[in-house]
């Protein structure tokens, strides 16, 4: 199935408008306030494309595209639509703030589920902040601030201007609180090599190719510089700092599911209100680490920097997050590719050391971390080729590109999904779980990111073919009827698909891959065409007219265009040169028929 991001995003927007708007008014439904994560994902399905793709802009009514207005007609007309969005996002900010207005809230709500046979959650557990909410809030707040920066210059309505000013303050406060909470959710877990986690990591890294006793030493050598960077640059508590100084111990870094127990408060002059006490065990989760990196990356996007969306205090917090972002990518990239002979990543499914679980989802999470690292440093052809192989195997194992068998256990990867125990939640009620059902949507997003990254035509073609196969699988999973017709069964899944469509749009906007061989052929064709054209200009016209008519002007224009494009678009230059050669041959044959005896003066 061909991926057409513009049309397919319009289809999704039309489905959202049908589902969420009633005569121009946003309908939160029965789940209003039940999950800050779901509510943020729902809004991002609109605001993310609207602020990342120029053709989907909603902040300037004078340039809103007609097909966008048609898709969103249930939300209001050209002038009403941006004002409605201001109202809706304002409702979100007020709903997910403490009643006294002291600080934003980031509760997981109904995304949490009880374990151990419990049937209900306590109110305190529903309101627990979670990394998914912190990360989504960063992306949502940046999108909102960028939207407001443009829209406030396009409207003269005083009521809307007042709502914009109020929303900007609330959005900036939420952005700061989300950044602070992400900083307090980062953790480095240090453990002995002979512990159960140490043995699990040693086995994973050794891959039955390295003697078990040699793995800890190779780990120390590989991560010595990174260990020093963490020790010198981050304050993580005395116990962690002392543990890292002992090079005989192993460690992992990343994000826990929420604010870590005993996490120190972050010093900032920004108005974040009381910083909540954390209860999460200080153990990194692959899933939440990937989610955190996705949100942090938006803090350094060209759009964020160009529009100046961060104030000075937020910039300092962003730099602290960026350091953790870089450290985490380096660490997990090193773990994924620890042994050049056989990457641990290639041993599917991945087994986590902290939660002692194994799943293709965790293999995808580690792949995502590696993709993040490859996007910030030059990737070798070998790196990309091997990652492509991993992605293809994951799609096959997940029954996306292969047939589902009877009673196939891999179906559970998609429904009911992969469940994580949230360690530490048992302190305030029944233990909680977090379930991921978005494997195929995440696989699509990472495949498209790799495709945009690849500059090798073979790897690019394999990845793009895989992306189309995954997208066909994803598109078939939409609801065919009912209230959510045209959407997926969760806002989490829908938002991931929207992200993937934005990634495809960015990929299409990149210059096409250039082939050295094709460039040389195009230049040879242009040279031959130019020579024949020069010769043809010396010959008389077979019709008796001048030799500088329309045909010659067209050929000259095409040759000039081919020369201009040959380095950037050699395929197009090749086609133009080939066409001019064909037209010159027609002229030569016409002249030979008119003057069979040769040149006639």
């Amino acid at each position: 199935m061909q991926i057409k991001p513009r049309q397919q995003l319009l289809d999704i927007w039309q489905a959202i408008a049908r589902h969420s708007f009633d005569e121009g008014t946003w309908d939160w439904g029965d789940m209003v306030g039940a999950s800050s994560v779901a509510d943020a994902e729902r809004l991002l399905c609109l605001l993310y494309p609207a602020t990342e793709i120029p053709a989907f802009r909603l902040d300037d009514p004078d340039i809103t595209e007609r097909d966008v207005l048609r898709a969103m007609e249930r939300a209001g007309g050209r002038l009403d639509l941006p004002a409605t969005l201001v109202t809706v996002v304002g409702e979100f900010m007020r709903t997910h703030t403490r009643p006294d207005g002291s600080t934003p809230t980031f509760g997981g709500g109904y995304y949490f589920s009880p374990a151990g046979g419990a049937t209900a959650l306590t109110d305190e557990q529903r309101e627990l902040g979670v990394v998914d909410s912190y990360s989504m809030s960063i992306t949502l707040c940046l999108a909102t601030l960028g939207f407001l920066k443009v829209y406030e210059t396009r409207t003269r309505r005083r009521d809307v201007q007042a709502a914009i000013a109020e929303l900007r303050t609330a959005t900036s406060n939420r952005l700061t609180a989300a950044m602070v909470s992400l900083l307090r959710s980062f953790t480095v877990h240090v453990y002995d090599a002979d512990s159960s986690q140490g043995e699990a990591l040693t086995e994973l890294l050794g891959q039955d190719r390295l003697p078990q006793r040699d793995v800890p030493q190779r780990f120390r050598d590989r991560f010595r510089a990174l260990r020093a960077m963490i020790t010198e640059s981050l304050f993580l508590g005395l116990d962690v700092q002392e543990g890292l100084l002992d090079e005989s111990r192993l460690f992992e870094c990343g994000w826990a599911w929420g604010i870590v127990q005993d996490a120190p408060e972050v010093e900032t002059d920004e108005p974040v209100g009381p910083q909540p006490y954390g209860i999460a065990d200080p153990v990194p989760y692959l899933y939440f680490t990937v989610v955190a990196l996705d949100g942090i990356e938006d803090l350094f996007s060209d759009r964020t920097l160009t529009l100046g969306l961060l104030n000075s205090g937020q910039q300092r917090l962003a730099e602290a997050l960026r350091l953790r972002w870089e450290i985490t990518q380096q660490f997990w990239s090193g773990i994924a590719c620890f042994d050049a002979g056989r990457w641990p990543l290639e041993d599917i499914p991945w087994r986590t050391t902290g939660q002692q679980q194994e799943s293709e989802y965790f293999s995808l999470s580690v792949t995502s971390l590696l993709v993040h690292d490859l996007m910030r440093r030059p990737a070798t052809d070998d790196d990309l080729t091997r990652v492509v192989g991993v992605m293809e195997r994951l799609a096959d194992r997940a029954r996306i590109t292969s047939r589902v068998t009877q009673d196939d256990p891999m179906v559970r990867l998609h429904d009911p999904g992969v469940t994580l125990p949230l360690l530490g939640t048992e302190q305030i009620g029944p233990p909680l779980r977090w379930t991921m059902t978005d494997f195929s949507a995440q696989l699509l997003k990472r495949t498209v990111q790799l495709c945009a990254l690849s500059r090798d035509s073979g790897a690019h073609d394999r990845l793009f073919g895989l992306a189309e196969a995954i997208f066909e699988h994803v598109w078939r999973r939409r609801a065919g009827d009912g209230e959510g017709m045209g959407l997926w069964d969760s806002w989490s899944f829908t938002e991931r698909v929207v992200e993937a469509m934005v990634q495809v749009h960015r990929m299409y906007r990149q210059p096409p891959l250039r082939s050295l061989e094709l460039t040389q052929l195009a230049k040879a064709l242009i040279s031959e065409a130019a020579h024949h054209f020069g010769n043809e200009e010396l010959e008389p016209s077979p019709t008796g007219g001048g030799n500088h008519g329309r045909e010659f002007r067209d050929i000259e224009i095409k040759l000039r265009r081919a020369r201009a494009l040959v380095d950037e678009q050699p395929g197009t230059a090749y086609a133009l040169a080939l066409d001019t050669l064909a037209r010159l041959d027609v002229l030569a044959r016409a002249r030979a028929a008119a003057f069979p005896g040769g040149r006639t003066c």
Side-chain angles (χ1 to χ4, degrees):
M1 182 177 181
Q2 186 178 359
I3 304 177
K4 303 174 182 178
R6 183 183 181 92
Q7 184 56 52
Q8 284 141 2
L9 275 174
L10 288 172
D11 291 345
I12 294 172
W13 273 23
Q14 188 173 37
I16 292 173
R18 184 172 54 244
H19 172 275
S20 299
F21 284 97
D22 183 11
E23 297 182 357
T25 302
W26 183 270
D27 180 12
W28 289 101
D30 295 335
M31 305 307 294
V32 60
S35 173
S36 66
V37 186
D39 290 348
E41 288 166 341
R42 189 173 174 185
L43 291 175
L44 276 173
C45 289
L46 295 177
L47 279 171
Y48 194 61
T51 52
E52 293 291 332
I53 302 178
F56 283 76
R57 285 181 60 179
L58 301 173
D59 52 12
D60 186 349
D62 292 335
I63 63 172
T64 305
E65 301 283 351
R66 291 182 179 180
D67 54 358
V68 169
L69 290 173
R70 283 195 300 270
M72 296 294 295
E73 60 184 353
R74 286 179 61 96
R78 177 174 61 89
L79 298 176
D80 297 327
L81 184 53
T84 299
L85 285 176
V86 170
T87 300
V88 173
V89 181
E91 290 175 0
F92 169 86
M93 296 296 172
R94 287 189 294 274
T95 298
H96 299 290
T97 299
R98 295 196 182 282
D100 61 3
S102 62
T103 183
T105 58
F106 301 91
Y110 69 88
Y111 272 23
F112 291 132
S113 60
T119 58
L121 308 181
T122 65
D123 290 340
E124 186 179 6
Q125 285 182 311
R126 291 191 186 91
E127 295 168 3
L128 282 173
V130 64
V131 164
D132 246 320
S133 186
Y134 307 146
S135 178
M136 287 291 169
S137 289
I138 286 178
T139 304
L140 176 63
C141 290
L142 291 174
T144 301
L145 290 172
F147 174 87
L148 296 179
K149 193 154 194 172
V150 175
Y151 181 48
E152 69 177 343
T153 66
R154 303 297 192 270
T155 181
R156 297 181 179 179
R157 289 174 50 183
R158 291 187 178 181
D159 59 329
V160 175
Q161 289 282 3
I164 288 174
E166 180 183 346
L167 178 56
R168 183 189 296 106
T169 300
T171 302
S172 181
N173 290 344
R174 186 174 189 85
L175 174 60
T176 304
M179 295 166 71
V180 167
S181 296
L182 268 188
L183 284 170
R184 301 181 68 217
S185 301
F186 180 82
T187 185
V188 177
H189 185 44
V190 184
Y191 46 85
D192 295 325
D194 58 359
S195 66
S196 59
Q197 286 182 262
E199 290 174 353
L201 182 61
T202 300
E203 182 179 349
L204 172 71
L205 299 180
Q207 289 294 297
D208 296 327
R209 294 167 55 90
L210 302 174
Q212 296 293 298
R213 63 181 181 278
D214 292 348
V215 173
Q217 181 60 50
R218 291 189 61 171
F219 181 95
R220 288 192 288 273
D221 294 343
R222 179 148 196 165
F223 295 110
R224 180 170 286 117
L226 192 63
R227 186 193 296 264
M229 183 187 300
I230 296 172
T231 305
E232 296 169 5
S233 305
L234 307 179
F235 175 72
L236 298 164
L238 186 61
D239 292 342
V240 176
Q241 237 73 19
E242 288 184 348
L244 281 170
L245 291 174
D246 183 353
E247 290 199 351
S248 67
R249 305 186 75 187
L250 307 178
F251 69 91
E252 294 178 26
C253 60
W255 272 263
W257 61 264
I259 296 175
V260 175
Q261 186 172 3
D262 298 327
E265 292 192 1
V266 173
E267 295 183 6
T268 177
D269 295 330
E270 295 297 303
V272 295
Q275 297 183 30
Y277 180 78
I279 63 169
D281 281 11
V283 178
Y285 285 72
L286 287 171
Y287 168 77
F288 293 108
T289 297
V290 172
V291 168
L293 293 185
D294 284 342
I296 293 170
E297 190 173 43
D298 291 329
L299 292 169
F300 309 102
S301 69
D302 290 341
R303 178 177 175 276
T304 300
L305 299 176
T306 301
L307 295 178
L309 300 182
L310 303 179
N311 62 34
S312 57
Q314 290 167 342
Q315 288 173 5
R316 286 191 290 272
L317 295 173
E319 285 303 320
L321 283 170
R322 183 166 192 162
L323 177 59
R324 288 156 176 79
W325 180 76
E326 292 177 346
I327 286 171
T328 302
Q329 288 176 153
Q330 290 182 44
F331 176 80
W332 286 104
S333 178
I335 291 293
C337 313
F338 188 80
D339 179 22
R342 186 189 184 192
W343 288 357
L345 179 60
E346 294 171 318
D347 185 10
I348 302 174
W350 188 276
R351 183 174 180 82
T352 63
T353 58
Q355 297 79 40
Q356 299 289 304
Q357 294 176 282
E358 66 177 21
S359 169
E360 282 73 12
Y361 199 106
F362 302 134
S363 294
L364 176 57
S365 296
V366 178
T367 305
S368 301
L369 294 168
L370 178 57
V371 170
H372 268 289
D373 193 49
L374 293 177
M375 290 173 68
R376 72 177 188 88
R377 64 174 173 84
T380 67
D381 289 342
D382 180 62
D383 287 340
L384 287 173
T385 300
R386 295 176 76 164
V387 177
V388 172
V390 171
M391 302 297 275
E392 290 174 334
R393 288 176 59 202
L394 287 173
D396 178 74
R397 290 175 65 98
R399 303 299 183 260
I400 293 173
T401 56
S402 60
R403 181 174 61 86
V404 178
T405 60
Q406 187 174 5
D407 300 324
D408 198 326
M410 292 309 300
V411 172
R412 293 196 292 271
L413 180 63
H414 308 279
D415 185 16
V418 179
T419 299
L420 294 174
L422 302 184
L423 305 177
T425 54
E426 67 280 357
Q427 299 178 37
I428 57 173
L432 298 184
R433 303 178 302 179
W434 190 270
T435 302
M436 299 94 70
T437 60
D438 60 345
F439 179 88
S440 52
Q442 289 279 18
L443 185 65
L444 174 62
K445 177 183 175 180
R446 303 307 170 185
T447 302
V448 172
Q449 286 179 324
L450 276 172
C451 194
L453 185 66
S454 175
R455 308 317 294 170
D456 175 77
S457 58
H460 185 277
D461 290 346
R462 285 172 63 190
L463 284 164
F464 194 73
L466 178 60
E468 290 188 324
I470 299 169
F471 180 72
E472 182 175 3
H473 166 88
V474 166
W475 202 248
R476 288 201 309 264
R477 288 185 57 180
R478 294 181 302 156
D481 53 24
E483 187 182 75
M485 184 175 65
L487 301 173
W488 287 265
D489 55 5
S490 72
W491 289 114
S492 175
F493 199 102
T494 303
E495 193 276 336
R496 267 55 162 191
V497 175
V498 169
E499 280 189 54
M501 292 297 97
V502 173
Q503 294 288 343
V504 173
H505 177 272
R506 289 175 181 166
M507 181 185 69
Y508 281 148
R509 288 301 186 189
Q510 288 182 343
L513 293 180
R514 285 174 287 177
S515 164
L516 180 60
E517 295 81 1
L518 190 57
T519 301
Q520 292 172 338
L521 284 172
K523 287 181 176 180
L525 286 175
I526 292 170
S527 177
E528 182 178 341
H531 178 82
H532 287 311
F533 181 57
N535 182 65
E536 194 63 37
E537 287 184 307
L538 302 176
E539 302 293 345
S541 170
T543 61
N547 64 349
H548 293 292
R550 178 179 297 176
E551 184 73 10
F552 275 66
R553 285 198 299 274
D554 287 348
I555 291 174
E556 186 176 6
I557 290 170
K558 283 195 172 184
L559 275 175
R560 192 181 303 122
R561 175 71 173 161
R563 287 194 182 99
L565 294 177
V566 69
D567 290 323
E568 296 296 326
Q569 297 175 231
T572 305
Y574 183 100
L576 289 170
L578 208 58
D579 182 59
T580 58
L581 283 169
R583 294 172 72 172
L584 287 166
D585 184 63
V586 170
L587 291 175
R589 286 188 285 112
R591 188 180 62 258
F595 309 117
R599 179 190 293 268
T600 301
C601 299

